[in-house]
Amino acid sequence: MLNLDLCNAEDKTIYKSIFQMKMMILKRGILSYSDIFMLGNECIKKIPELKNYFNYRFKYVFMDEVQDTKKISTEIT
């Protein structure tokens, strides 16, 4: 999470605007590709039963094109 105390006033305004826009979009049920990764990762971290289910269900994960993989993708796996 971003610590706004470390940002200057202009950056704080920008980050707050982006956050408000994201919240508005999420309330409407619209997710971007990155949102799906972030929400999925948060759910797996916060809900141990969900993590256990996926660990049981999928013993191995094959990642093609690893050089193009986002860091969050490797965190999820």
Side-chain angles (χ1 to χ4, degrees):
M1 193 54 131
L2 180 66
N3 185 350
L4 290 180
D5 295 332
L6 303 176
C7 298
N8 62 38
E10 184 179 349
D11 287 345
K12 284 181 185 180
T13 303
I14 292 169
Y15 288 125
K16 287 179 180 179
S17 297
I18 291 170
F19 178 78
Q20 289 172 346
M21 181 187 71
K22 279 285 191 187
M23 293 308 299
M24 182 181 69
I25 290 170
L26 288 173
K27 285 180 183 177
R28 292 183 179 177
I30 302 169
L31 297 173
S32 70
Y33 187 69
S34 296
D35 292 335
I36 294 168
F37 278 100
M38 289 188 326
L39 290 172
N41 194 30
E42 281 189 43
C43 288
I44 289 171
K45 285 181 177 179
K46 291 181 179 179
I47 306 170
E49 295 84 8
L50 187 61
K51 181 179 180 179
N52 293 338
Y53 168 77
F54 284 114
N55 283 337
Y56 174 78
R57 177 75 173 83
F58 302 101
K59 298 291 182 197
Y60 301 98
V61 176
F62 176 77
M63 294 179 68
D64 192 19
E65 303 287 338
V66 174
Q67 73 276 10
D68 298 328
T69 304
K70 295 179 182 188
K71 182 182 175 196
I72 195 163
S73 298
T74 57
E75 287 179 21
I76 292 171
T77 58

